Amino acid sequence: MQERQGSYAWCFSHGVLHHFPAASTPWCTATWAWLAGESREEALAAKTARFGEARFLDALPLTEQLVLAGAGQSAGPR
């Protein structure tokens, strides 16, 4: 499992940015990936740099989909 990078994650099941406060346990059980950044703007920039304009899982290359699906809710940077 990847260490938490911040408090933001992109959810490829819901197609939105989730915010999980630092002291909380992530509540979403869908497929998401932690993003670097301390603000919403920084997290969205990190999402775009890492995944481009992909909003949902099927917009990513198959190999990336498999990595994220296999990592569950702990997909980290590569």
Side-chain angles (χ1 to χ4, degrees), residues 3-25:
E3 281 188 43
R4 187 177 191 138
Q5 294 181 358
S7 58
Y8 293 94
W10 185 262
C11 181
F12 284 100
S13 297
H14 298 119
V16 296
L17 184 68
H18 287 329
H19 179 252
F20 304 118
S24 71
T25 299

Side-chain angles (χ1 to χ4, degrees), residues 2-78:
Q2 179 237 327
E3 281 188 43
R4 187 177 191 138
Q5 294 181 358
S7 58
Y8 293 94
W10 185 262
C11 181
F12 284 100
S13 297
H14 298 119
V16 296
L17 184 68
H18 287 329
H19 179 252
F20 304 118
S24 71
T25 299
W27 44 262
C28 181
T29 59
T31 303
W32 48 266
W34 284 118
L35 298 170
E38 294 302 317
S39 69
R40 177 178 176 79
E41 292 76 21
E42 289 175 358
L44 288 172
K47 183 266 178 195
T48 301
R50 185 169 165 199
F51 301 111
E53 295 302 317
R55 184 171 175 200
F56 296 100
L57 197 61
D58 65 352
L60 295 174
L62 183 57
T63 54
E64 188 72 19
Q65 291 180 41
L66 294 172
V67 168
L68 288 170
Q73 292 82 37
S74 62
R78 278 166 289 296

